[in-house]
Amino acid sequence: MKRRLLTGVFAVAMAATLTACSGTTKNDTADTGAQQSAGAADPNAALKQGVKMAFLPKQLNNPYSDIEVGGGKTALEELKGEYKLVGPNDASASSQVSYINTLIQQQQDVIGIAANDPNAVCPSLSQARSSGIKVVAFDSDAAKDCRDVFINQATTQGIGEQLVKMANELAGGEGEIAILSATPNATNQNAWIEVAKQTLAKPEYAKLKLVKVAYGNDDDQKSFQEAQGLLQSYPSLKAIVAPTTVGIAAAARYISSSSYKSKVAVTGLGTPNQMRAFVKDTTVKQFALWNPADIGYLAAYAGVALSSGQITGAEGQKFKAGKLGEYTVGANGEIVLGPPTVFDANNIDKFNF
């Protein structure tokens, strides 16, 4: 998939408030802020080999997370680094903390984390950075002072707006809609939902009414039950919008085998492979996503660039990310992968992830 594979959906402005702060060497401490000049880095520094990078997704055995970290593994193989995968089986707020502490003891060079809660992981990540470990947040950001860079799928503003745009189109421009999210504390989910709420307040969406934000905790069965509960509570619902791959698949599975099929639309963020059957049977008309493997791939290249001193996380610094090409660090240490793609019956068979 190309660097800008995913055309047209959302953008993650949420990281705009987050600050990157790191030094250029493994021995630098965590209190060197993101406001340091780009000159503190050496863009011509040789990439280190043997960099030990551990990936800590929101939870293990999550189809979306599996694809993400798989991209990181591929990149580290290219970079001759050492890949490690650890993580909880649930996506609760504090479930990642013990893993961070263990990775500090193991003296990893880089930790890549998709934070379940932006603040719960902060003390441990700060300790990691104080010991010289670089921290790359990806997919779901950590609090601003706790990481060096953040790999963003797109921009929050664009993602939230696109979710509303798809819901509006599928609902015929009016009626009740509901959101089926992941966990109540998920950074990315909450940022997209907030933008969606702001977008729904615009005059052109006056006939759409958001009646409920439900949480499936990125658990398949819980999400399935929440989708069922939404229809029981709001039988006139026009669309369920799930900005989580677990949620959209669970909602589609429920709708596909219920009397609500062809009456209630399901949309949001999902992978082509998990959603293909639901598109083929017309349960889902359209949904969107970036290439999750590219997020992990970009996170690994950024981690090695940080560890090698090519970048520090300051705005304007550039680095090369293998097949994805060159990237520039944006404000507050944000590195944006690129816009996602909208999938439907016309293009879904062109993708395999």
Side-chain angles (χ1 to χ4, degrees):
M1 290 250 163
K2 295 183 179 177
R3 162 183 172 185
R4 305 291 179 191
L5 161 71
L6 305 133
T7 56
V9 180
F10 346 60
V12 184
M14 93 187 156
T17 59
L18 304 172
T19 306
C21 20
S22 80
T24 59
T25 70
K26 194 174 189 310
N27 295 321
D28 287 335
T29 58
D31 58 359
T32 50
Q35 302 305 316
Q36 62 188 319
S37 69
D42 179 6
N44 297 315
L47 286 175
K48 293 181 180 178
Q49 295 185 3
V51 172
K52 296 185 294 183
M53 182 169 181
F55 277 81
L56 177 54
K58 292 181 180 180
Q59 63 184 137
L60 298 181
N61 301 315
N62 177 311
Y64 174 82
S65 296
D66 291 346
I67 298 171
E68 278 188 321
V69 298
K73 182 179 182 181
T74 297
L76 286 169
E77 289 173 351
E78 294 176 1
L79 292 162
K80 296 181 172 57
E82 296 182 21
Y83 167 84
K84 187 179 186 68
L85 173 64
V86 298
N89 290 316
D90 66 277
S92 63
S94 60
S95 60
Q96 296 171 310
V97 172
S98 63
Y99 293 94
I100 299 170
N101 295 335
T102 299
L103 293 173
I104 295 172
Q105 296 172 359
Q106 294 174 347
Q107 298 184 320
Q108 294 292 312
D109 296 307
V110 186
I111 294 174
I113 181 171
N116 280 326
D117 183 288
N119 299 311
V121 296
C122 194
S124 294
L125 290 180
S126 294
Q127 182 181 350
R129 297 181 71 228
S130 294
S131 68
I133 298 172
K134 304 301 181 183
V135 176
V136 178
F138 66 94
D139 184 71
S140 184
D141 207 354
K144 64 179 182 179
D145 297 321
C146 306
R147 46 74 169 163
D148 295 286
V149 295
F150 170 49
I151 307 301
N152 211 343
Q153 304 95 327
T155 37
T156 298
Q157 190 69 27
I159 292 180
E161 290 176 351
Q162 184 63 31
L163 290 172
V164 173
K165 181 180 178 181
M166 290 190 296
N168 183 62
E169 181 177 336
L170 294 170
E174 61 181 358
E176 296 178 341
I177 65 172
I179 292 175
L180 176 57
S181 186
T183 63
N185 297 312
T187 314
N188 52 355
Q189 303 283 315
N190 289 340
W192 300 333
I193 292 169
E194 181 59 31
V195 172
K197 289 179 177 178
Q198 294 170 2
T199 304
L200 285 167
K202 295 181 179 180
E204 57 264 43
Y205 299 114
K207 294 183 178 181
L208 278 185
K209 181 181 179 182
L210 176 61
V211 295
K212 176 78 172 180
V213 177
Y215 299 96
N217 295 333
D218 260 354
D219 176 82
D220 177 73
Q221 189 58 36
K222 171 69 171 172
S223 297
F224 183 92
Q225 293 169 349
E226 289 295 329
Q228 186 178 34
L230 286 171
L231 272 303
Q232 291 174 346
S233 299
Y234 305 98
S236 298
L237 206 63
K238 288 289 194 70
I240 295 176
V241 183
T244 157
T245 59
V246 175
I248 190 175
R253 193 170 79 254
Y254 171 68
I255 296 295
S256 68
S257 59
S258 75
S259 60
Y260 296 103
K261 184 177 178 180
S262 301
K263 298 177 182 178
V264 179
V266 177
T267 191
L269 309 180
T271 67
N273 288 353
Q274 85 180 136
M275 299 305 297
R276 184 171 282 105
F278 300 119
V279 171
K280 299 286 188 181
D281 73 5
T282 71
T283 299
V284 176
K285 301 295 185 183
Q286 62 176 237
F287 66 97
L289 196 68
W290 42 88
N291 185 348
D294 286 348
I295 297 174
Y297 186 93
L298 180 56
Y301 267 89
V304 173
L306 282 164
S307 185
S308 303
Q310 286 188 351
I311 60 173
T312 64
E315 184 175 1
Q317 295 173 345
K318 299 179 184 295
F319 69 101
K320 293 181 179 179
K323 65 182 181 181
L324 299 180
E326 185 177 77
Y327 278 82
T328 301
V329 181
N332 306 303
E334 180 183 15
I335 302 167
V336 180
L337 174 66
T341 292
V342 175
F343 303 100
D344 57 26
N346 294 320
N347 69 356
I348 193 167
D349 285 336
K350 298 178 181 178
F351 300 92
N352 182 27
F353 66 87

